[in-house]
Amino acid sequence: MKVLNLGSLNLDYVYSVDHMVLPGETLSSYGMETFCGGKGLNQSIALARAGAEVYHAGLVGDGGEILIDTCREAGVHTDFIQKLEGPCGHTIIQVDKNGQNCILLYGGSNQKMTKEYIDTVLGHFDKGDILLLQNEVNLVDYMIDQAYAKQMMIILNPSPYNSALDTCDYSKVSMFLMNEIEGAQVTGEQEPEGILQELSKRYPTVKTVLTLGGDGAVYQDGDSICRQAIFPVKAVDTTAAGDTFTGYFITSIIEKMEPSEGLKLAAKASSIAVSRAGAAASIPARAEVMV
Ligand code: RIB
């Protein structure tokens, strides 16, 4: 079972700040670093470091070669990644003294997907392969429709949530992986129980992993629910913690682990990511994730 991740690749410009800049405020940062990131890239690297065979497809712009190199060095298949002229996808990330972040995203090359490119890439995958999607690229609705027609298993991380997702046919998705904010945006419900109930009512065949920050994570498959607490650590930088969780949980599916074991593996991996700076750079290797 191969994984195709049709997703974003970003240059993350990360600024260390005392607090998140306020409206109208000019704030001096006390450090700046550039990291490789993007929800797509991070999730591909998490899959590869967890031991899965993953193919990343996506578009990089000016200065994006380092993103391809970083994927390749992590063991991700990069042959489908294309280079374009023009601005690369990038972010401005503030990380405060508690390790919390806020992210300003510029789509750039990530928003230049075409139907022709998607069709060409999907032509290399078959029934039963996994298609992993986030919402930092355009044409996610088309990707879902085409992959469903091929009987691929579609796993959607609807992040960041915005109106581009409104045209997606979620009933074609096999599994949602989302945090409670995205869960609230998708369902209109605020509490985790309400989010899970609403997802189950609207999309009865879709499995869900809902991450709850400090309250852990929940897996729902029909009437069956299992929960996992976090592994507490001192937070240095929460960037890519969710992406690490996603990559490790999908690897547990490929390895046919029980959902409870998959949640535990993913929670442990993301706790390690939280304890380190950066996005892709913070994602642990499988050997470090002893559960
Ligand atoms: O999920 C973390 C990622 O979100 C960062 O690497 C940043 O690029 C944004 O896309």
Side-chain angles (χ1 to χ4, degrees):
M1 185 188 274
K2 294 182 295 197
V3 183
L4 167 63
N5 185 1
L6 258 165
S8 60
L9 306 100
N10 290 334
L11 295 164
D12 288 344
Y13 301 110
V14 181
Y15 297 83
S16 303
V17 292
D18 176 75
H19 60 271
M20 305 309 178
V21 66
L22 300 168
E25 181 185 23
T26 300
L27 179 68
S28 292
S29 61
Y30 49 83
M32 185 271 186
E33 287 182 274
T34 305
F35 289 108
C36 295
K39 293 182 195 306
L41 175 147
N42 296 338
Q43 292 177 19
S44 282
I45 288 183
L47 277 153
R49 293 206 175 131
E53 181 169 20
V54 55
Y55 294 75
H56 193 95
L59 306 170
V60 299
D62 300 340
E65 292 79 10
I66 189 173
L67 301 171
I68 304 175
D69 293 344
T70 298
C71 284
R72 189 185 302 110
E73 284 159 17
V76 176
H77 296 280
T78 57
D79 290 349
F80 299 128
I81 302 176
Q82 289 189 359
K83 290 186 215 165
L84 304 180
E85 284 185 8
C88 198
H90 64 266
T91 61
I92 292 173
I93 302 182
Q94 299 175 56
V95 178
D96 74 10
K97 56 190 178 217
N98 300 315
Q100 289 300 318
N101 67 24
C102 64
I103 301 178
L104 178 65
L105 175 67
Y106 179 71
S109 45
N110 293 312
Q111 292 292 321
K112 299 250 166 36
M113 293 273 181
T114 63
K115 291 182 179 178
E116 292 71 27
Y117 173 71
I118 294 164
D119 291 344
T120 301
V121 172
L122 284 176
H124 294 269
F125 295 85
D126 298 311
K127 178 178 176 180
D129 287 335
I130 292 175
L131 175 66
L132 172 60
L133 299 171
Q134 314 79 29
N135 189 35
E136 289 186 340
V137 296
N138 59 317
L139 292 175
V140 172
D141 53 355
Y142 183 77
M143 295 171 190
I144 290 174
D145 291 343
Q146 299 308 110
Y148 184 77
K150 293 177 72 81
Q151 299 183 53
M152 292 177 74
M153 180 197 291
I154 301 165
I155 300 182
L156 176 65
N157 170 219
S159 180
Y161 183 85
N162 61 35
S163 60
L165 290 170
D166 294 348
T167 51
C168 294
D169 184 350
Y170 287 154
S171 67
K172 294 178 176 174
V173 170
S174 304
M175 180 179 286
F176 295 121
L177 272 146
M178 61 177 94
N179 65 29
E180 57 196 317
I181 297 170
E182 292 140 7
Q185 291 166 322
V186 170
T187 63
E189 296 289 330
Q190 298 308 314
E191 298 302 320
E193 299 312 318
I195 292 168
L196 290 168
Q197 279 172 17
E198 191 59 27
L199 287 172
S200 160
K201 197 165 88 187
R202 287 191 207 171
Y203 315 107
T205 61
V206 184
K207 302 174 179 68
T208 298
V209 176
L210 187 65
T211 57
L212 306 169
D215 291 331
V218 190
Y219 172 83
Q220 172 173 268
D221 178 5
D223 292 335
S224 160
I225 297 241
C226 72
R227 296 172 194 278
Q228 173 65 49
I230 61 161
F231 290 84
V233 288
K234 177 170 166 25
V236 171
D237 180 355
T238 56
T239 311
D243 300 328
T244 303
F245 193 102
T246 295
Y248 269 83
F249 190 77
I250 294 172
T251 304
S252 81
I253 296 172
I254 296 167
E255 294 182 7
K256 302 198 186 314
M257 292 168 69
E258 289 297 321
S260 58
E261 288 303 305
L263 286 182
K264 195 171 172 188
L265 179 77
K268 180 75 189 199
S270 71
S271 75
I272 295 171
V274 164
S275 69
R276 299 172 175 170
S282 72
I283 299 169
R286 180 72 173 260
E288 297 175 83
V289 188
M290 305 296 290
V291 289

